[in-house]
Amino acid sequence: MGSPLNILIAASEVHPFAKTGGLADVCGALPKALHHLGHNVLVILPLYRCVNISQYDLRPLPQTISIPVGPKKIEGILYEGELIPGVPVIFVAQEKYFDREHLYGPPGKAYPDNAERFIFFTRAIIEACKVTQFKPDIINCNDWQTGLTPVYLKTLYAYDSFFRKTRTIFSLHNLGYQGEFDRNNMPLANLPFSLFNPAGVESFGDFNFLKSGLVYSDILTTVSKTYSQEILQPEHAFRMDGILNSRKTDLFGITNGIDYSEWDPQRDPWIKEKFSAAKPQGKTACKRALLDHFNLKSQRDQPLMCMVTRMTTQKGIDLVMAAVEQFLLKDAQLVILGSGDARFEEFFRTRKSKQLGVFIGFDEPLAHRILAGSDFILMPSVYEPCGLTQMQAMKYGTVPITSAVGGLEDTVVQYNYKTGEGLGFKFSPYSLEFFSKRVTDALTVYRDAGQWQTLVQNCLTADFGWDRSAQEYERVYRLTLAR
Ligand code: ADP
C-alpha cells in the first residue's frame, strides 16, 4: 500500500445522478472502490436537468467559474454533493448547456451544439480543481465527452504549477462513440489551430474529441482485456487503430466490476422477493411477478429470456429480431426493456404478445425486476467493450447467452455440462445459425433440473465485484505517476 492518491474521476454521466448506460455505472462505482482503498477521490460531471438538487442535497460553491468558449466567456456555477460519505462530487452547472431534457440529445440523435457543451465541460473540469483546491495526482477522463481535458493540460495549462504533478488517464468505454465534430468548432475550444492535424485532434477532417483524449493522455485504459486487443485490429477500431497501435504499450485492459450495493438480490428493494445462492427460492416469485407484469401467458416451466439494452446495432438487435421471427418464441418467452433506434423500437412494439413482453424506455426498477425474474439474458452483441448487464444478470442467477466478443468473452465462461463448470453460453462466429445452436444448448440444460441448478448456482456465486478492478486501476495510476 503506497500513499493515498488524489484522484479526479471526470465523466459525463455518473450513477445515480445521470445515466444512459454502463459508463454511469462505472463512474459511480469506481470512485467508491478507490475510496475504500484509501484514496482521496473527487468526481465531476455536468448538472443536467435530471439531477435532483434537493434529493441529493447539492449546495452551490461561493466561487463561480468563467470558461472561454470561442470569443465569449461563459459563466458556470459549481455545486457540491457526495456519492457516499467521503466521496465528494462536483456538478458543473450552466443552464444553457445542461438544463435540457436529455444528456446528449433525444434518442438516436445528438444536440447540434454538443461540441460547444463539452468544450465548456472539459475546461470546467480543470478550473473546478483550482476552485476547490483539489490538486489531482490523476485525472481519469472517460470517453469522448472528457477527451479535451488532457489536451488543455498539455497545452494551455502546460506551465500551470497547480497541475505540475498531474497525470491523465483516458478510459475508453466504447470506441463507437467518438464525438466527431466539424472543424468549424475548433475555434470554440480556443486551442492553437496547429493542433488540428492527424497527429493531434484531427481525424479524417473532423475535430475528434475521443482521438484528442487518445493522443494527449499519459495512459489509456479500456474496459476489458479482450477489447483492449480487439481495438488494435482495423475491423474493431472505428478508424482509431493507427493511434491505438502507436500507443499499445500505454494501453491497459481492466475489466469492469459491478456495484453490489446496487445489484444484489439479497437486498434489492425493487424485486418481489429477495433471494441468494443459499436461498434461491425467491427467484420463482420474481419470475411469476414478471410474467404477470408483462401479461405473459404462464405456461408451466417455459424458460423466460430477457434483454435490458440500448436498442442499437451494436447490441445485436438485428439478430434477436431474426430469431424472434424464426425460432426463439417457440420454446421460450422473452421480455425486452430498452430504447434507441426507431426501427428496433417499432419492431418490438408491434410484436407484443403472450410470448413477448416489451417496454420501450429507460426504467431502472424494471431493469432490476427483469434481471431477477428471468432465466436467461440475451446479449448477442456485435461488439461489447465490457458489458455490465451480463454480470448484473448472473448476480441474480440469470444465465447469459452471448456472443464471444470483448468483455463478454472475458466474463462469461462457457458452461460445460460434463464438469458442471461455467456460467453461460457463448457463440462464435457471429451468425444466426450459431446463435440458434447455443440457444438450443441452453434450453437443453434448462430442461435438465440437476444441470440447471448447478449452472444457476455457478452464476449466483460468481464474483464480479469492483475490488479487484479498482486495485488494477490503482496499479495503473501508480505506474503512470512513476513514469
Ligand atoms: P452499454 O453501456 O453499452 O449500454 P452495459 O451493459 O455496459 O451497456 O451497461 C448498460 C447499463 O444500463 C446497465 O446498468 C443496464 O442495466 C442499464 N440499462 C440498459 N438499458 C436500460 C433500460 N432500458 N432501462 C434501465 N436500465 C438500462
Side-chain angles (χ1 to χ4, degrees), residues 19-23 25 174 256 263 308-310 314-315 337-339 359 361-364 367 371 379 384-390 392:
K19 167 167 167 175
T20 68
L23 172 65
D25 293 305
N174 192 334
N256 290 329
W263 297 94
V308 175
T309 185
R310 290 184 293 115
Q314 180 206 333
K315 298 293 181 179
L337 162 64
S339 63
F359 185 84
F362 194 91
D363 185 331
E364 275 196 71
L371 295 182
M379 280 183 79
E384 192 58 74
C386 178
L388 298 173
T389 323
Q390 80 281 10
Q392 294 162 351

Side-chain angles (χ1 to χ4, degrees), residues 8-12 14 42-46 89-92 121 124-125 128:
L8 177 67
I9 305 286
S12 60
V14 176
L42 177 67
V43 180
I44 185 163
L45 78 157
V89 183
I90 294 291
F91 295 84
V92 179
F121 177 58
I125 291 168

